[in-house]
Structures are given as C-alpha cells and as structure tokens.
Amino acid sequence: MHKTRMVQKITLVPVEERLKAIGEAGYNTFLLKTKDIFLDMLTDSGVNAMSDNQFAAFMRADDAYAGSMTFYEFADAVRDVLGYKYVMNTHQGRAAEHLVAKVFIKPGDVVPTNYHFTTTRAHIELFGASVLEIYYDDALKTESTNPFKGNMDPQKLKNVIKKYGKDKVAFVRMEATTNLIGGQPFSMANLKEIRQICNEHGLILVIDGSLICENAYMIMQREKGYQAKTVAEIVREISSIPDLFYMSGRKNTSVRGGMIATNNKELFDKIRPWLPVYEGFYTYGGMSMREVGAMAVGVREMVDPSVAGCSVEQIKYFVNRLRETGVPVVTPPGGLACHLDAMKFLPHIPQSQYPAGALSAALYIASGIRSMERGSVSMDRDKEGKEVPADVELTRIALPRRVYSISHIEYAIDRINWLYKHRELVKGLKFVWEPPVLRFFDGRLEPIGDWGRNLSDAFKKEVGNN
C-alpha cells in the first residue's frame, strides 16, 4: 500500500567477483562491501525505507541541544500510540539494553526470557548475570504449525523463581518477536499469564518491543478474539502490560534510534540519571533531533496495518514459495525474515563447522544476496574458550520494510533453489580469527577445502557469469 518515489541503482557483480569478495571478507557476510552486494538482506535494522512524512519531519526538526520541541512531539507520539507517560531516547536498541542492564542487574542474578538476542545476552552477562531461556519445548522445531513459538513457558518461569528466589531474578524479559528462532511472536494470552506470575512474585516485566507491530499483526491474524481488533489497539494492549518497554527504532519506526518508556516513574527515575553519561542530554539521548522527528512520525505510522504487515506478508510469500519447492525453512513464517534451516539444507556439515555461516556465504556466491548467519557463529565461546552450539542453525534472509518487491523475492527463490540442488558442493567453515565478544560481527573464517571455487565453477557452467 505504497508507491515508490525514489529509486537506488543496484548492481549484480559477476560470480568470480563475488567469490573474491567473500574470500576477502573472511566468509563473513558482515564484512562484505556494499559495492559487491546485489540484494542486501542482512538485516531489517536501520535499512528500512522512510515515508515522505518522515523525510518532511527530518527537515523541519528543532535542532536544539536541550529542550527541543521535536522531542516533545516524539513524547506525544509515544503517549498516544503506546500509552507511556515517561520516555527517553537512546541512540539504538542495544543502548537501551545497556541502561536497563546497568540499573537492574547485579552479579549472580538471572534474567528469564522467551529467547535471547545477541546484544541482550552480552549486556546481561557483562553485568554478571545469566540468561535463562524459558520457552516451550516445541519453540526450536523449525517445522511447526504452532502460531506462537515466541511464548514463554509459565511453569518453567515458576520453577526458575522457586529455584533461584525472586530476589535473584533481575527482571523477566519478553521479546517481540523472538529474533534468533525465526521472528516468532508471543500471544496476548501468554503475555498476560507471564504478567500475572510477575505480579504474584513482585517481579519487573520488561518487553523488547523492537518488532511489536509485527507481533501485533500476527496476533490479529492468529489469536482468537483479536481478528476484529486493529493493529493499533493490539499494540496499545501489549504495551499496557509490562513495567518497562524498550525498543530499537531501527525496525518498526524505520529510523536509526531507540527508546525506553514506562508509566512507572520510580523505574524511570532510576534510569534517567545515566542517560547523559552514556547517551546524551535528556531530550536527545544520543540521536540527532532530525532522527527524533522522523521517529515521532514513524511511531504513529508503524501501527498502520499496511506498514505493520508489509514485511510479514512478504515473508509469508517467500516462505511458502520455498516450501513448495522443498527447501527447508522455518515455519510458520514469522516477522523479520525468511529463515533457511541450515542443518536440514546442509545435513552433511557438522554443527562444529558452522553450517549456517557456510550457507550464508554460499548464498552470496550463488546470488549476490547478503544474508546473515544466526547459529553457532552467533554464539560466543564459554569462559573456558569452548564452543557453545546454537539451539538452531538458521540463515536469515531479512526483508527491510518497503524496500524490495516481489520480483526481488522471486530472484532470491530462484537462486536458493539452484543452491539447494547443488548443496553437496558446500562444505564447512573454520575460524581463523575472532574477537572475545559478539564474534559474528567481525570474526574471520575460511572454507574447509576449496568449496567456494567449486560452487562458483558449477554456477558459471550452468547459469553463466551473473
């Protein structure tokens, strides 16, 4: 439900150049240069298309360092859409995670969550706490008909509280949607049940609402009693339940920024003094005021069903078309991305050789599409330096909002199908260098055997140079 008013040229470089580029990038798609990328489906974070009204807000923003009226326009939007009286900006979602962790976590604590996100886990562990993933047993089944694999298991949460004691539970965290297991939503009924358990034990409930609108859209489609409600009504209901809400604005609001919001002044006042230390003054919080202005518009626009549902519907199309051809994908389709099940796509590669990373690199060679590894490469080593195998090995093909068309998706489907027919050519990877934390961003790997060359030669023989 939009038309394109500006275009950006993209180039499909020849397969030989793609092979050279992935080698220079250490078989890590994060380290590729955009000049070598045809379709950039690495992420939906900070790469979405802004609307015309957001660009207008960008131009008319009040650039004052302190007391900017643009901040108050943003605060009004947060109050009107999410229902929160107190809000602060951060430069992005992980900055919000850092402040929440700093204020509420002490060494030895635990944080139960429906599933971790990479930066969330890092912040929690850096402050001396542990992440406990309290999902239902079927959440990790990549092929499923469960519409809410992002639910938290209430009984497991009760067991955690009993085992550790409520004083050791820093807070309970729900992520909308669970990024690392396929963008899977939680249900409203589950969120309310978790809220009740938190009430009974005096625990803080925190929501990472970075994909709250996709979660709401899927509640509207999948949960009984919500089909007649609007996305705006469901978003407002979700945001009324936690004690504390934070989000990366780089996703739903299509702006590079983030925020923390609440109706609990006591919680807000605990965080507020640290904002100028780590982010910026209270009325800009590490963002440019132009971005704050665009984010204010984005908060209002994100609950429009044509915005909230644009990537969900494209992902559904993408997943269903691949299923028709037998390619193993995560089902049901979620928010954020189409996820390939790398362990089923490449069953001959052991998990110790990073099948999801190998599949991301192979997809780039075969198509020029940049995807992202969401498997064991995304897991940091333990304190003894040993590998921590991921629960699932996924190759994430993200769909930024309002950026790509169905023809781009059809191209991706065609190249993925070709790769699936030649999957035996793809072998594993090994690390040659890695940083101590969040190694997936900057680590360098190399192929086990010269399989990149073999794949490239097969592609040239059957498909051609491009």
Side-chain angles (χ1 to χ4, degrees):
M1 296 297 292
H2 61 267
K3 61 182 180 181
T4 302
R5 299 181 66 190
M6 186 173 75
V7 296
Q8 181 180 21
K9 182 177 173 59
I10 55 177
T11 303
L12 178 59
V13 300
V15 66
E16 279 291 331
E17 292 183 31
R18 300 198 295 267
L19 177 63
K20 180 182 178 183
I22 196 67
E24 292 175 347
Y27 275 69
N28 181 348
T29 56
F30 269 97
L31 302 180
L32 288 166
K33 297 174 182 176
T34 55
K35 70 179 181 64
D36 298 317
I37 294 165
F38 182 49
L39 303 181
D40 199 347
M41 295 176 168
L42 180 81
T43 182
D44 68 331
S45 181
V47 292
N48 302 288
M50 291 202 305
S51 70
D52 49 356
N53 288 320
Q54 286 185 287
F55 276 109
F58 202 85
M59 296 299 293
R60 57 172 292 275
D62 173 4
D63 271 333
Y65 181 95
S68 167
M69 295 311 298
T70 297
F71 170 79
Y72 294 104
E73 292 173 8
F74 168 74
D76 287 344
V78 170
R79 182 199 62 229
D80 294 346
V81 175
L82 298 173
Y84 293 122
K85 291 185 288 187
Y86 308 109
V87 64
M88 63 181 78
N89 288 111
T90 59
H91 79 270
Q92 61 185 72
R94 70 196 58 178
E97 291 172 340
H98 168 248
L99 291 175
V100 171
K102 178 175 180 60
V103 170
F104 296 106
I105 288 175
K106 59 185 185 297
D109 279 352
V110 296
V111 177
T113 182
N114 54 341
Y115 208 79
H116 78 277
F117 183 62
T118 50
T119 56
T120 317
R121 184 177 200 138
H123 284 122
I124 290 169
E125 292 180 347
L126 285 169
F127 282 99
S130 301
V131 175
L132 303 177
E133 288 158 340
I134 314 300
Y135 46 78
Y136 279 96
D137 292 342
D138 66 345
L140 303 183
K141 293 181 180 178
T142 53
E143 292 183 78
S144 174
T145 58
N146 180 355
F148 295 109
K149 291 196 291 186
N151 282 351
M152 180 179 286
D153 188 323
Q155 187 56 53
K156 290 181 181 178
L157 178 59
K158 292 177 184 178
N159 294 344
V160 165
I161 298 168
K162 183 178 180 180
K163 178 179 178 180
Y164 293 92
K166 66 178 185 180
D167 292 340
K168 284 291 186 182
V169 179
F171 52 84
V172 177
R173 174 184 175 273
M174 293 284 282
E175 183 176 313
T177 59
T178 46
N179 190 311
L180 297 186
I181 56 173
Q184 300 297 309
F186 55 71
S187 69
M188 191 74 77
N190 181 253
L191 179 61
K192 290 178 178 178
E193 190 170 4
I194 299 305
R195 170 77 272 176
Q196 183 59 37
I197 295 170
C198 290
N199 288 346
E200 291 170 2
H201 296 276
L203 298 175
I204 298 170
L205 178 60
V206 176
I207 281 187
D208 176 346
S210 299
L211 290 166
I212 189 174
C213 294
E214 280 84 351
N215 205 116
Y217 188 86
M218 287 184 277
I219 285 174
M220 181 182 71
Q221 290 187 323
R222 301 176 184 182
E223 188 165 1
K224 185 178 180 181
Y226 284 89
Q227 283 78 11
K229 290 187 178 290
T230 65
V231 171
E233 289 170 335
I234 298 170
V235 165
R236 185 64 175 260
E237 186 173 349
I238 292 173
S239 59
S240 71
I241 294 172
D243 299 291
L244 199 62
F245 175 97
Y246 72 86
M247 72 182 296
S248 166
R250 297 166 67 92
K251 299 175 185 292
N252 278 172
T253 71
S254 300
V255 175
R256 293 175 178 85
M259 68 163 152
I260 302 172
T262 183
N263 283 323
N264 187 317
K265 192 173 188 302
E266 182 182 352
L267 297 181
F268 187 77
D269 287 345
K270 287 182 178 180
I271 302 171
R272 180 176 161 88
W274 296 104
L275 188 70
V277 177
Y278 293 103
E279 295 296 302
F281 190 71
Y282 306 110
T283 51
Y284 79 91
M287 295 177 62
S288 78
M289 292 316 304
R290 297 186 179 198
E291 288 172 327
V292 174
M295 193 171 175
V297 175
V299 167
R300 296 186 186 278
E301 291 182 343
M302 72 182 186
V303 294
D304 184 322
S306 68
V307 178
C310 64
S311 61
V312 175
E313 295 298 335
Q314 283 193 324
I315 292 161
K316 185 189 300 182
Y317 178 86
F318 199 167
V319 168
N320 289 338
R321 287 278 285 109
L322 287 174
R323 286 184 69 202
E324 290 171 3
T325 58
V327 174
V329 287
V330 171
T331 57
L336 172 67
C338 170
H339 293 79
L340 305 179
D341 184 337
M343 293 181 77
K344 292 179 179 176
F345 199 112
L346 303 171
H348 55 283
I349 299 179
Q351 199 169 8
S352 61
Q353 295 179 9
Y354 312 116
L359 182 52
S360 295
L363 177 60
Y364 171 73
I365 293 169
S367 66
I369 295 171
R370 175 158 68 169
S371 59
M372 183 193 292
E373 188 275 354
R374 296 277 75 160
S376 296
V377 173
S378 295
M379 298 290 291
D380 290 329
R381 295 179 186 271
D382 65 17
K383 293 178 181 178
E384 286 72 45
K386 296 178 182 177
E387 284 284 355
V388 179
D391 292 321
V392 288
E393 293 281 340
L394 306 179
T395 292
R396 189 183 83 181
I397 310 170
L399 287 173
R401 291 153 195 82
R402 300 177 292 202
V403 172
Y404 293 119
S405 68
I406 292 297
S407 65
H408 293 117
I409 295 172
E410 288 289 352
Y411 170 83
I413 291 165
D414 179 75
R415 294 300 168 97
I416 291 167
N417 278 316
W418 181 89
L419 184 60
Y420 190 56
K421 292 172 184 174
H422 297 78
R423 58 192 180 275
E424 75 285 348
L425 295 176
V426 183
K427 308 300 180 185
L429 299 172
K430 60 181 179 181
F431 268 103
V432 294
W433 181 84
E434 57 189 283
V437 66
L438 298 177
R439 64 181 183 174
F440 66 91
F441 280 131
D442 202 33
R444 302 185 71 85
L445 305 99
E446 64 182 22
I448 297 173
D450 198 12
W451 64 259
R453 164 56 60 195
N454 296 337
L455 186 67
S456 173
D457 288 346
F459 183 90
K460 281 191 294 184
K461 182 179 179 180
E462 295 186 21
V463 181
N465 225 13
N466 288 328

